[in-house]
Amino acid sequence: MTTVKDIAAAVGVSVATVSNVLNGRPNVGRVIRHKVLRAAKRLGYQPNRAAQAMRTGRTRAIGLVLPDLTNPFFPELAQAVENTARNLGLLVCLVDSQGRAEGEADGFALLMQHAVDGIIWCPVGPRLPPYLHDATPPVVLIDRPRPGFPVVHSDYLMGGRLLADYALRMGHRCVGLLSGPQNLASARQRRDGFVEAFPRDITVAWEVSVGFDGILNAEALKALKRRGKATLIVAGNDLIAISAMRCLVESGIRVPEDVSITGFDNIRWTDVVTPRLTTIAQPVGAIGAKAVQLMQARMSGEKIASGRTIFDVTLVERDSVRRN
Amino acid sequence: MTTVKDIAAAVGVSVATVSNVLNGRPNVGRVIRHKVLRAAKRLGYQPNRAAQAMRTGRTRAIGLVLPDLTNPFFPELAQAVENTARNLGLLVCLVDSQGRAEGEADGFALLMQHAVDGIIWCPVGPRLPPYLHDATPPVVLIDRPRPGFPVVHSDYLMGGRLLADYALRMGHRCVGLLSGPQNLASARQRRDGFVEAFPRDITVAWEVSVGFDGILNAEALKALKRRGKATLIVAGNDLIAISAMRCLVESGIRVPEDVSITGFDNIRWTDVVTPRLTTIAQPVGAIGAKAVQLMQARMSGEKIASGRTIFDVTLVERDSVRRN
DNA sequence: TCGGATTAGTAAAACGTTACACTAGAGGCA
DNA sequence: TGCCTCTAGTGTAACGTTTTACTAATCCGA
């Protein structure tokens, strides 16, 4: 690897001057500036980030801590984060906690050792772990708000309302709720947005809460089989909806002929299951990009509000809901 | 952040001694060793990786360069890589090239600047880019062999053969091939394994090659619609198979009543589409873990062969193939 | 022409760690 | 006792970069 020293030697100036040129400082003349730049290019100079990091305390790397790459929401997010980060010259260090707080803590420790400049984080568990004290680099949360931190996520209440409006419009008056984990605000708001948008028209025949990974518990299975008067099942996300559909058809219940169903997230697979799933689309790419931008702003010293950045969602009407 | 200096001051020894203790060197007595260790714990010492990197030239970080996180094979792989890396104390730096050689080159440059100790890589494009010269850190390829590099992947020939055996057993004698991109060995071998396992029994009614992302081109669409005498469609991977199924049912062709179909990869969604897809399962987690282990071996100086590590695959029989 | 301000460039310290070369003392042995 | 070998520990240079404090030269205005 060529270093500033090599460039300095090649051009015949001091390393300080090389550094000054490379960092765009004004105190160096045109001709030497050009010489240095050309030598740098010719020698294929790549800055040694470790040395820079040691001197400046900034690594130009950020952490991305996710609970579960297996949920298709997250790869899409990761892709967006990585790409916009790369365009800013930031390296993305990945931690997949597999939903375990312990793994998350380990990953965090690793990120701290490597002194990442910031962390984009979708936390597991209801509260922030204790290792988040003042010395920690800036954190931007994704999807799961915690007091004191900026967070970016979709307008889940709006999503719930859109679904409610749509359900109403399609003539459904009695629904079953297969909500996500109610300790997560994102799941709660989807549900609440839906429920609150029906002043009194609605009847909730039953409500069961399951994990976002779409693994249905016994209670959910039971609710699906004898589904009461519900003509529409509102699932907490697409994974849940798809699992539920699978379970229904296996019990000989047809979708949407016998019962309608909606999802949330608009993952790729909503379009290939049968019937294609009606759902709410989140702008995942925009969310990831925004998180990186916030991060970058905080890293470069701007004081950004520790509030929320919320993205609109849209209804994607497909084939899993029929008029009642 | 506490440094070795702080520990040295706290215990009353030199920084050299602290370093010696922390690195498990033998030249320090029991009592001081314990004192240092306790002080380190008490002060919450975390080594400064940047400083270590500068001194030793090793960062304890590895790069993971993938073509497309949107293909479910890769998140699963990434999860496995990240987890086994983390257990070895290695940080994973992610690059998603989105299938573009340019993005891959950018990501590579970033990884080089950060001086990762090794790169686990699933390359796009048929040949290795020019920036791979001798100074590069050790590379372990995933899934796509290139001369001179170790690679770990599944036994695609075996997968093809398993499918051929199965097709034969189920009475199919005429197939359509919806192969993956034939410039990729992984796609080619799946196809060849299949074709070669039928000495002369088989008839290949038609063959079209499409991308692994499952986006069907016009030729593929046409082949699917008038499918000739083929009673079985052998798709290059699950994404292709699922797209094809979707296309077939939209044309009023029933699966598997009118035509059978198989996939490859056994991604999660093979189990939720209708009908559930018969496919070949790859041990993705094992592949990821093995890649990290090879990497680690090479990093610690072991000379590993630049050959192949190949994993057995298995047939997962579900509902998309019917007896002919 | 004087002297202050500006411009162009440099020397060297510092970041936190490791590793080499070294020393002081203890122990062993003839 | 004298000499050699261990053991336990230390001092310090070095890694590549940035940055502060500094100098030398030039410029400008009066």
Side-chain angles (χ1 to χ4, degrees):
Chain A
M1 269 300 186
T2 56
T3 72
V4 285
K5 212 176 198 167
D6 300 325
I7 301 179
V11 178
V13 294
S14 74
V15 294
T17 299
V18 174
S19 175
N20 286 334
V21 171
L22 262 21
N23 293 307
R25 259 178 282 275
N27 59 335
V28 36
R30 263 215 307 278
V31 5
I32 289 206
R33 174 178 302 277
H34 275 81
K35 276 193 189 174
V36 167
L37 254 18
R38 262 198 330 176
K41 178 158 288 179
R42 178 164 52 83
L43 299 175
Y45 171 73
Q46 296 280 71
N48 179 327
R49 296 283 180 201
Q52 285 183 323
M54 195 157 91
R55 188 65 242 257
T56 63
R58 5 204 59 231
T59 51
R60 305 205 54 76
I62 64 177
L64 176 61
V65 183
L66 301 177
D68 180 18
L69 272 181
T70 268
N71 178 335
F73 175 79
F74 291 112
E76 205 176 332
L77 182 76
Q79 198 177 53
V81 165
E82 195 275 332
N83 275 271
T84 82
R86 176 145 44 80
N87 284 334
L88 293 166
L90 299 171
L91 187 65
V92 171
C93 303
L94 179 71
V95 170
D96 177 337
S97 61
Q98 307 227 34
R100 291 196 309 266
E102 183 206 334
E104 199 171 59
D106 289 353
F108 237 88
L110 214 48
L111 292 175
M112 305 287 266
Q113 288 177 5
H114 285 266
V116 291
D117 288 343
I119 296 181
I120 294 178
W121 189 16
C122 181
V124 309
R127 56 182 7 171
L128 285 188
Y131 41 78
L132 263 249
H133 51 292
D134 355 66
T136 289
V139 167
V140 171
L141 298 179
I142 296 259
D143 204 65
R144 307 186 181 174
R146 300 289 187 270
F149 292 90
V151 60
V152 18
H153 60 81
S154 298
D155 192 338
Y156 294 122
L157 283 169
M158 175 186 180
R161 280 197 296 268
L162 286 177
L163 286 174
D165 292 350
Y166 181 66
L168 229 41
R169 210 157 66 237
M170 296 296 275
H172 293 276
R173 289 297 177 273
C174 181
V175 303
L177 259 35
L178 214 48
S179 312
Q182 293 299 297
N183 56 331
L184 295 183
S186 56
R188 224 161 38 231
Q189 290 179 2
R190 294 168 196 211
R191 175 202 172 277
D192 294 351
F194 182 89
V195 171
E196 286 163 13
F198 280 98
R200 43 189 60 97
D201 269 282
I202 202 180
T203 327
V204 174
W206 47 265
E207 174 166 8
V208 178
S209 144
V210 302
F212 265 157
D213 56 9
I215 297 173
L216 303 179
N217 54 31
E219 196 186 352
L221 260 28
K222 208 169 62 183
L224 283 175
K225 298 231 163 106
R226 61 154 188 70
R227 54 192 197 286
K229 294 187 185 161
T231 58
L232 169 67
I233 295 171
V234 177
N237 72 1
D238 293 335
L239 255 32
I240 298 173
I242 291 173
S243 286
M245 273 173 44
R246 169 117 222 100
C247 166
L248 287 169
V249 302
E250 275 171 3
S251 314
I253 303 166
R254 291 164 307 163
V255 180
E257 289 80 359
D258 298 330
V259 63
S260 296
I261 190 165
T262 63
F264 206 114
D265 283 349
N266 193 35
I267 63 177
R268 172 172 188 169
W269 309 99
T270 50
D271 204 38
V272 309
V273 292
T274 315
R276 290 154 67 236
L277 189 65
T278 291
T279 189
I280 297 290
Q282 297 194 51
V284 189
I287 290 175
K290 183 68 181 181
V292 175
Q293 285 155 13
L294 283 178
M295 189 86 272
Q296 156 89 347
R298 282 213 52 184
M299 278 163 41
S300 50
E302 288 176 47
K303 275 204 113 170
I304 63 172
S306 65
R308 310 191 173 204
T309 309
I310 298 183
F311 281 84
D312 280 358
V313 298
T314 53
L315 177 76
V316 179
E317 191 176 348
R318 286 196 273 249
D319 314 326
S320 66
V321 176
R322 92 170 340 189
R323 185 167 295 284
N324 194 43
Chain B
M1 270 300 187
T2 56
T3 73
V4 285
K5 213 176 199 170
D6 300 324
I7 301 180
V11 179
V13 295
S14 74
V15 294
T17 300
V18 174
S19 174
N20 286 334
V21 171
L22 262 20
N23 293 304
R25 259 177 281 275
N27 60 336
V28 37
R30 262 215 309 278
V31 7
I32 288 204
R33 174 177 302 276
H34 275 82
K35 275 192 190 175
V36 167
L37 255 19
R38 263 197 329 173
K41 178 158 286 178
R42 178 163 52 81
L43 299 176
Y45 173 73
Q46 296 279 72
N48 180 326
R49 296 284 180 200
Q52 284 184 324
M54 195 157 89
R55 187 67 246 259
T56 63
R58 6 202 58 231
T59 52
R60 304 204 55 75
I62 63 176
L64 176 63
V65 183
L66 300 177
D68 180 17
L69 272 180
T70 268
N71 177 335
F73 174 80
F74 291 111
E76 206 176 333
L77 182 77
Q79 197 177 52
V81 166
E82 195 276 330
N83 274 272
T84 83
R86 177 145 42 80
N87 285 334
L88 293 166
L90 299 171
L91 187 65
V92 172
C93 303
L94 179 71
V95 171
D96 177 337
S97 61
Q98 306 225 38
R100 290 197 308 266
E102 183 207 333
E104 199 172 60
D106 289 353
F108 237 88
L110 214 48
L111 291 174
M112 305 288 265
Q113 287 178 3
H114 285 266
V116 291
D117 288 343
I119 296 181
I120 294 178
W121 190 15
C122 182
V124 310
R127 56 185 4 173
L128 285 188
Y131 41 79
L132 263 247
H133 50 292
D134 355 67
T136 288
V139 167
V140 171
L141 298 179
I142 297 260
D143 203 65
R144 307 184 181 175
R146 299 289 184 272
F149 292 90
V151 60
V152 16
H153 61 80
S154 297
D155 192 338
Y156 295 122
L157 284 169
M158 175 186 180
R161 281 197 296 268
L162 286 176
L163 285 173
D165 292 350
Y166 181 66
L168 229 39
R169 211 158 66 238
M170 295 297 276
H172 293 277
R173 290 295 176 275
C174 180
V175 303
L177 259 35
L178 213 47
S179 311
Q182 292 300 298
N183 57 331
L184 295 184
S186 57
R188 224 162 38 232
Q189 290 180 1
R190 294 169 196 209
R191 175 202 174 279
D192 293 351
F194 182 90
V195 171
E196 286 162 15
F198 281 99
R200 43 188 62 98
D201 269 283
I202 200 178
T203 327
V204 174
W206 47 266
E207 174 166 8
V208 178
S209 145
V210 300
F212 266 157
D213 57 9
I215 297 173
L216 303 180
N217 53 31
E219 194 186 354
L221 259 28
K222 205 169 65 184
L224 282 175
K225 297 231 163 104
R226 60 154 189 69
R227 53 192 197 286
K229 293 188 184 161
T231 59
L232 168 69
I233 295 170
V234 177
N237 73 0
D238 292 336
L239 254 33
I240 298 173
I242 291 173
S243 287
M245 274 173 43
R246 168 117 224 101
C247 166
L248 287 169
V249 302
E250 275 171 3
S251 315
I253 303 165
R254 290 163 309 162
V255 180
E257 289 81 1
D258 298 330
V259 64
S260 296
I261 190 165
T262 62
F264 206 115
D265 282 351
N266 194 34
I267 63 177
R268 173 173 188 169
W269 310 98
T270 50
D271 203 39
V272 309
V273 292
T274 315
R276 290 154 67 237
L277 189 65
T278 291
T279 189
I280 297 289
Q282 296 194 52
V284 188
I287 290 175
K290 183 67 181 182
V292 175
Q293 284 154 15
L294 283 178
M295 189 85 272
Q296 157 89 347
R298 284 214 50 185
M299 278 162 41
S300 50
E302 287 175 47
K303 274 205 113 166
I304 64 173
S306 64
R308 311 191 172 204
T309 309
I310 297 182
F311 281 84
D312 280 359
V313 298
T314 54
L315 177 77
V316 178
E317 190 176 347
R318 286 197 273 248
D319 314 328
S320 66
V321 176
R322 96 173 331 191
R323 185 168 297 282
N324 193 42

